[in-house]
Amino acid sequence: MRYDEAAGGRIDHAIRITVPRSDQNYLWPARHQAGAAADSSLPPMGLRLRLKSSVDTSQLAPQAKAVAEALKKYGAIVADNGSPWYITGEESPRWDNAQLDGLKNFKGSDFEAVDASGLQQSPDSGAVAPQ
């Protein structure tokens, strides 16, 4: 995600996140696996998680609120192994970490897995099927 999106109050796409460990399987739109174990209790690459609509985001600072609202509408896609729930954004000195700290209060139970397979145009493409 880009700073200008958050500063404008609108991020209109899913957000890339990392998890500490992942399963060896992967789901569309992922094109690879990065897991060290076949463990269905771990998230696979490509898993889409959405912030539940019931989660209150009204008290978040503007940058964090833009991120949270995108997580509610478009969700996050597990894209790599790394720090837990690490949200990827462009490097910019304009990001305000004090604003973004509000996102750290979300818990795993605030999210729900979303079946995005109906968006798949082709198993060999990350393109979304036209609606």
Side-chain angles (χ1 to χ4, degrees):
M1 96 194 131
R2 293 178 302 279
Y3 169 79
D4 290 337
E5 296 172 314
R10 184 165 176 230
I11 300 168
D12 60 359
H13 55 81
I15 296 172
R16 181 185 190 278
I17 63 165
T18 62
V19 296
R21 295 178 58 223
S22 60
D23 182 48
Q24 287 182 336
N25 291 310
Y26 62 95
L27 304 171
W28 179 89
R31 311 283 291 177
H32 73 286
Q33 65 88 12
D39 184 345
S40 62
S41 70
L42 297 172
M45 291 292 124
L47 177 65
R48 187 178 292 249
L49 299 164
R50 181 173 51 215
L51 186 62
K52 292 177 182 175
S53 61
S54 60
V55 175
D56 182 16
T57 60
S58 64
Q59 301 303 309
L60 291 173
Q63 289 178 17
K65 186 171 177 112
V67 173
E69 292 305 313
L71 289 170
K72 281 185 176 184
K73 185 170 185 178
Y74 302 102
I77 298 175
V78 175
D80 205 352
N81 292 337
S83 298
W85 298 90
Y86 184 81
I87 295 175
T88 305
E90 75 172 336
E91 284 194 37
S92 172
R94 299 175 295 170
W95 286 110
D96 183 339
N97 287 333
Q99 283 197 35
L100 298 173
D101 279 347
L103 299 171
K104 294 178 181 177
N105 294 323
F106 295 142
K107 305 177 293 292
S109 60
D110 291 331
F111 289 83
E112 58 194 351
V114 177
D115 179 359
S117 63
L119 300 172
Q120 182 178 354
Q121 179 174 326
S122 162
D124 295 323
S125 170
V128 173
Q131 295 293 323

PDB file of all heavy atoms in Angstrom, residues 71-92:
ATOM      1  N   LEU A  71      -8.923  -3.206   5.149  1.00  0.00           N
ATOM      2  CA  LEU A  71      -8.939  -4.581   5.658  1.00  0.00           C
ATOM      3  C   LEU A  71     -10.357  -5.101   5.801  1.00  0.00           C
ATOM      4  O   LEU A  71     -10.606  -6.294   5.639  1.00  0.00           O
ATOM      5  CB  LEU A  71      -8.205  -4.656   7.000  1.00  0.00           C
ATOM      6  CG  LEU A  71      -6.693  -4.486   6.939  1.00  0.00           C
ATOM      7  CD1 LEU A  71      -6.109  -4.336   8.340  1.00  0.00           C
ATOM      8  CD2 LEU A  71      -6.044  -5.647   6.198  1.00  0.00           C
ATOM      9  N   LYS A  72     -11.302  -4.222   6.093  1.00  0.00           N
ATOM     10  CA  LYS A  72     -12.706  -4.643   6.182  1.00  0.00           C
ATOM     11  C   LYS A  72     -13.293  -4.934   4.804  1.00  0.00           C
ATOM     12  O   LYS A  72     -14.055  -5.880   4.639  1.00  0.00           O
ATOM     13  CB  LYS A  72     -13.550  -3.558   6.855  1.00  0.00           C
ATOM     14  CG  LYS A  72     -13.433  -3.514   8.346  1.00  0.00           C
ATOM     15  CD  LYS A  72     -14.398  -2.492   8.925  1.00  0.00           C
ATOM     16  CE  LYS A  72     -14.384  -2.499  10.435  1.00  0.00           C
ATOM     17  NZ  LYS A  72     -15.383  -1.571  10.996  1.00  0.00           N
ATOM     18  N   LYS A  73     -12.975  -4.095   3.832  1.00  0.00           N
ATOM     19  CA  LYS A  73     -13.588  -4.233   2.510  1.00  0.00           C
ATOM     20  C   LYS A  73     -12.866  -5.227   1.615  1.00  0.00           C
ATOM     21  O   LYS A  73     -13.490  -6.075   0.978  1.00  0.00           O
ATOM     22  CB  LYS A  73     -13.652  -2.870   1.826  1.00  0.00           C
ATOM     23  CG  LYS A  73     -14.379  -2.898   0.506  1.00  0.00           C
ATOM     24  CD  LYS A  73     -14.647  -1.519  -0.023  1.00  0.00           C
ATOM     25  CE  LYS A  73     -15.487  -1.597  -1.289  1.00  0.00           C
ATOM     26  NZ  LYS A  73     -15.814  -0.268  -1.802  1.00  0.00           N
ATOM     27  N   TYR A  74     -11.525  -5.130   1.546  1.00  0.00           N
ATOM     28  CA  TYR A  74     -10.750  -5.939   0.599  1.00  0.00           C
ATOM     29  C   TYR A  74      -9.947  -7.051   1.272  1.00  0.00           C
ATOM     30  O   TYR A  74      -9.546  -8.005   0.619  1.00  0.00           O
ATOM     31  CB  TYR A  74      -9.791  -5.054  -0.194  1.00  0.00           C
ATOM     32  CG  TYR A  74     -10.498  -3.971  -0.949  1.00  0.00           C
ATOM     33  CD1 TYR A  74     -10.509  -2.661  -0.469  1.00  0.00           C
ATOM     34  CD2 TYR A  74     -11.171  -4.241  -2.133  1.00  0.00           C
ATOM     35  CE1 TYR A  74     -11.172  -1.656  -1.159  1.00  0.00           C
ATOM     36  CE2 TYR A  74     -11.839  -3.245  -2.821  1.00  0.00           C
ATOM     37  CZ  TYR A  74     -11.835  -1.953  -2.334  1.00  0.00           C
ATOM     38  OH  TYR A  74     -12.488  -0.964  -3.011  1.00  0.00           O
ATOM     39  N   GLY A  75      -9.670  -6.880   2.541  1.00  0.00           N
ATOM     40  CA  GLY A  75      -8.929  -7.889   3.279  1.00  0.00           C
ATOM     41  C   GLY A  75      -7.431  -7.795   3.096  1.00  0.00           C
ATOM     42  O   GLY A  75      -6.900  -6.839   2.536  1.00  0.00           O
ATOM     43  N   ALA A  76      -6.768  -8.814   3.605  1.00  0.00           N
ATOM     44  CA  ALA A  76      -5.318  -8.947   3.507  1.00  0.00           C
ATOM     45  C   ALA A  76      -5.023 -10.312   2.906  1.00  0.00           C
ATOM     46  O   ALA A  76      -5.773 -11.268   3.123  1.00  0.00           O
ATOM     47  CB  ALA A  76      -4.682  -8.825   4.886  1.00  0.00           C
ATOM     48  N   ILE A  77      -3.943 -10.395   2.165  1.00  0.00           N
ATOM     49  CA  ILE A  77      -3.543 -11.664   1.554  1.00  0.00           C
ATOM     50  C   ILE A  77      -2.210 -12.089   2.146  1.00  0.00           C
ATOM     51  O   ILE A  77      -1.246 -11.319   2.148  1.00  0.00           O
ATOM     52  CB  ILE A  77      -3.446 -11.538   0.022  1.00  0.00           C
ATOM     53  CG1 ILE A  77      -4.815 -11.170  -0.560  1.00  0.00           C
ATOM     54  CG2 ILE A  77      -2.934 -12.840  -0.587  1.00  0.00           C
ATOM     55  CD1 ILE A  77      -4.810 -10.913  -2.053  1.00  0.00           C
ATOM     56  N   VAL A  78      -2.170 -13.325   2.660  1.00  0.00           N
ATOM     57  CA  VAL A  78      -0.918 -13.883   3.188  1.00  0.00           C
ATOM     58  C   VAL A  78       0.018 -14.081   1.999  1.00  0.00           C
ATOM     59  O   VAL A  78      -0.289 -14.836   1.078  1.00  0.00           O
ATOM     60  CB  VAL A  78      -1.154 -15.213   3.929  1.00  0.00           C
ATOM     61  CG1 VAL A  78       0.172 -15.827   4.365  1.00  0.00           C
ATOM     62  CG2 VAL A  78      -2.075 -14.999   5.121  1.00  0.00           C
ATOM     63  N   ALA A  79       1.155 -13.349   2.029  1.00  0.00           N
ATOM     64  CA  ALA A  79       2.031 -13.325   0.866  1.00  0.00           C
ATOM     65  C   ALA A  79       3.458 -13.796   1.135  1.00  0.00           C
ATOM     66  O   ALA A  79       4.214 -13.996   0.197  1.00  0.00           O
ATOM     67  CB  ALA A  79       2.072 -11.909   0.295  1.00  0.00           C
ATOM     68  N   ASP A  80       3.826 -13.961   2.405  1.00  0.00           N
ATOM     69  CA  ASP A  80       5.199 -14.390   2.684  1.00  0.00           C
ATOM     70  C   ASP A  80       5.323 -14.762   4.156  1.00  0.00           C
ATOM     71  O   ASP A  80       4.460 -14.426   4.968  1.00  0.00           O
ATOM     72  CB  ASP A  80       6.186 -13.259   2.365  1.00  0.00           C
ATOM     73  CG  ASP A  80       7.585 -13.762   2.031  1.00  0.00           C
ATOM     74  OD1 ASP A  80       7.859 -14.975   2.185  1.00  0.00           O
ATOM     75  OD2 ASP A  80       8.408 -12.936   1.612  1.00  0.00           O
ATOM     76  N   ASN A  81       6.403 -15.434   4.481  1.00  0.00           N
ATOM     77  CA  ASN A  81       6.738 -15.696   5.873  1.00  0.00           C
ATOM     78  C   ASN A  81       7.555 -14.515   6.383  1.00  0.00           C
ATOM     79  O   ASN A  81       8.352 -13.934   5.651  1.00  0.00           O
ATOM     80  CB  ASN A  81       7.533 -16.988   6.016  1.00  0.00           C
ATOM     81  CG  ASN A  81       6.704 -18.210   5.688  1.00  0.00           C
ATOM     82  OD1 ASN A  81       5.483 -18.181   5.751  1.00  0.00           O
ATOM     83  ND2 ASN A  81       7.358 -19.288   5.336  1.00  0.00           N
ATOM     84  N   GLY A  82       7.335 -14.152   7.634  1.00  0.00           N
ATOM     85  CA  GLY A  82       8.043 -13.031   8.230  1.00  0.00           C
ATOM     86  C   GLY A  82       7.457 -12.727   9.585  1.00  0.00           C
ATOM     87  O   GLY A  82       6.954 -13.622  10.270  1.00  0.00           O
ATOM     88  N   SER A  83       7.469 -11.479   9.957  1.00  0.00           N
ATOM     89  CA  SER A  83       6.907 -11.069  11.249  1.00  0.00           C
ATOM     90  C   SER A  83       5.406 -11.326  11.268  1.00  0.00           C
ATOM     91  O   SER A  83       4.744 -11.257  10.232  1.00  0.00           O
ATOM     92  CB  SER A  83       7.162  -9.573  11.472  1.00  0.00           C
ATOM     93  OG  SER A  83       8.541  -9.321  11.514  1.00  0.00           O
ATOM     94  N   PRO A  84       4.839 -11.609  12.457  1.00  0.00           N
ATOM     95  CA  PRO A  84       3.411 -11.890  12.529  1.00  0.00           C
ATOM     96  C   PRO A  84       2.562 -10.674  12.155  1.00  0.00           C
ATOM     97  O   PRO A  84       2.761  -9.589  12.677  1.00  0.00           O
ATOM     98  CB  PRO A  84       3.167 -12.282  13.986  1.00  0.00           C
ATOM     99  CG  PRO A  84       4.452 -12.131  14.707  1.00  0.00           C
ATOM    100  CD  PRO A  84       5.504 -11.731  13.735  1.00  0.00           C
ATOM    101  N   TRP A  85       1.632 -10.885  11.228  1.00  0.00           N
ATOM    102  CA  TRP A  85       0.661  -9.867  10.825  1.00  0.00           C
ATOM    103  C   TRP A  85       1.331  -8.579  10.343  1.00  0.00           C
ATOM    104  O   TRP A  85       0.814  -7.486  10.523  1.00  0.00           O
ATOM    105  CB  TRP A  85      -0.310  -9.554  11.965  1.00  0.00           C
ATOM    106  CG  TRP A  85      -1.140 -10.713  12.382  1.00  0.00           C
ATOM    107  CD1 TRP A  85      -0.817 -11.629  13.343  1.00  0.00           C
ATOM    108  CD2 TRP A  85      -2.400 -11.117  11.864  1.00  0.00           C
ATOM    109  NE1 TRP A  85      -1.810 -12.551  13.459  1.00  0.00           N
ATOM    110  CE2 TRP A  85      -2.795 -12.258  12.561  1.00  0.00           C
ATOM    111  CE3 TRP A  85      -3.239 -10.605  10.892  1.00  0.00           C
ATOM    112  CZ2 TRP A  85      -4.005 -12.916  12.311  1.00  0.00           C
ATOM    113  CZ3 TRP A  85      -4.436 -11.244  10.642  1.00  0.00           C
ATOM    114  CH2 TRP A  85      -4.803 -12.390  11.343  1.00  0.00           C
ATOM    115  N   TYR A  86       2.500  -8.702   9.725  1.00  0.00           N
ATOM    116  CA  TYR A  86       3.222  -7.529   9.241  1.00  0.00           C
ATOM    117  C   TYR A  86       2.560  -7.036   7.964  1.00  0.00           C
ATOM    118  O   TYR A  86       2.435  -7.764   6.985  1.00  0.00           O
ATOM    119  CB  TYR A  86       4.689  -7.870   8.985  1.00  0.00           C
ATOM    120  CG  TYR A  86       5.516  -6.677   8.577  1.00  0.00           C
ATOM    121  CD1 TYR A  86       5.999  -5.784   9.524  1.00  0.00           C
ATOM    122  CD2 TYR A  86       5.794  -6.443   7.238  1.00  0.00           C
ATOM    123  CE1 TYR A  86       6.750  -4.685   9.154  1.00  0.00           C
ATOM    124  CE2 TYR A  86       6.549  -5.350   6.862  1.00  0.00           C
ATOM    125  CZ  TYR A  86       7.014  -4.467   7.822  1.00  0.00           C
ATOM    126  OH  TYR A  86       7.755  -3.379   7.451  1.00  0.00           O
ATOM    127  N   ILE A  87       2.122  -5.798   7.996  1.00  0.00           N
ATOM    128  CA  ILE A  87       1.479  -5.171   6.843  1.00  0.00           C
ATOM    129  C   ILE A  87       2.562  -4.498   6.005  1.00  0.00           C
ATOM    130  O   ILE A  87       3.383  -3.750   6.524  1.00  0.00           O
ATOM    131  CB  ILE A  87       0.433  -4.137   7.302  1.00  0.00           C
ATOM    132  CG1 ILE A  87      -0.704  -4.849   8.034  1.00  0.00           C
ATOM    133  CG2 ILE A  87      -0.081  -3.337   6.125  1.00  0.00           C
ATOM    134  CD1 ILE A  87      -1.725  -3.913   8.634  1.00  0.00           C
ATOM    135  N   THR A  88       2.530  -4.744   4.711  1.00  0.00           N
ATOM    136  CA  THR A  88       3.538  -4.201   3.831  1.00  0.00           C
ATOM    137  C   THR A  88       3.049  -2.914   3.175  1.00  0.00           C
ATOM    138  O   THR A  88       1.966  -2.877   2.596  1.00  0.00           O
ATOM    139  CB  THR A  88       3.900  -5.225   2.735  1.00  0.00           C
ATOM    140  OG1 THR A  88       4.299  -6.437   3.359  1.00  0.00           O
ATOM    141  CG2 THR A  88       5.032  -4.714   1.860  1.00  0.00           C
ATOM    142  N   GLY A  89       3.865  -1.884   3.264  1.00  0.00           N
ATOM    143  CA  GLY A  89       3.575  -0.620   2.599  1.00  0.00           C
ATOM    144  C   GLY A  89       4.857  -0.048   2.029  1.00  0.00           C
ATOM    145  O   GLY A  89       5.951  -0.483   2.373  1.00  0.00           O
ATOM    146  N   GLU A  90       4.696   0.935   1.156  1.00  0.00           N
ATOM    147  CA  GLU A  90       5.880   1.557   0.583  1.00  0.00           C
ATOM    148  C   GLU A  90       6.686   2.259   1.671  1.00  0.00           C
ATOM    149  O   GLU A  90       6.126   2.731   2.659  1.00  0.00           O
ATOM    150  CB  GLU A  90       5.504   2.568  -0.497  1.00  0.00           C
ATOM    151  CG  GLU A  90       4.940   3.855   0.060  1.00  0.00           C
ATOM    152  CD  GLU A  90       4.734   4.946  -0.980  1.00  0.00           C
ATOM    153  OE1 GLU A  90       5.386   4.936  -2.029  1.00  0.00           O
ATOM    154  OE2 GLU A  90       3.895   5.818  -0.724  1.00  0.00           O
ATOM    155  N   GLU A  91       7.991   2.298   1.481  1.00  0.00           N
ATOM    156  CA  GLU A  91       8.822   3.046   2.421  1.00  0.00           C
ATOM    157  C   GLU A  91       8.624   4.526   2.148  1.00  0.00           C
ATOM    158  O   GLU A  91       8.705   4.973   1.011  1.00  0.00           O
ATOM    159  CB  GLU A  91      10.292   2.666   2.245  1.00  0.00           C
ATOM    160  CG  GLU A  91      10.616   1.328   2.837  1.00  0.00           C
ATOM    161  CD  GLU A  91      12.108   1.113   2.953  1.00  0.00           C
ATOM    162  OE1 GLU A  91      12.844   2.070   3.254  1.00  0.00           O
ATOM    163  OE2 GLU A  91      12.516  -0.029   2.720  1.00  0.00           O
ATOM    164  N   SER A  92       8.304   5.259   3.205  1.00  0.00           N
ATOM    165  CA  SER A  92       8.123   6.701   3.076  1.00  0.00           C
ATOM    166  C   SER A  92       8.277   7.329   4.454  1.00  0.00           C
ATOM    167  O   SER A  92       7.683   6.844   5.420  1.00  0.00           O
ATOM    168  CB  SER A  92       6.742   7.038   2.515  1.00  0.00           C
ATOM    169  OG  SER A  92       6.520   8.441   2.576  1.00  0.00           O
TER     170      SER A  92
END
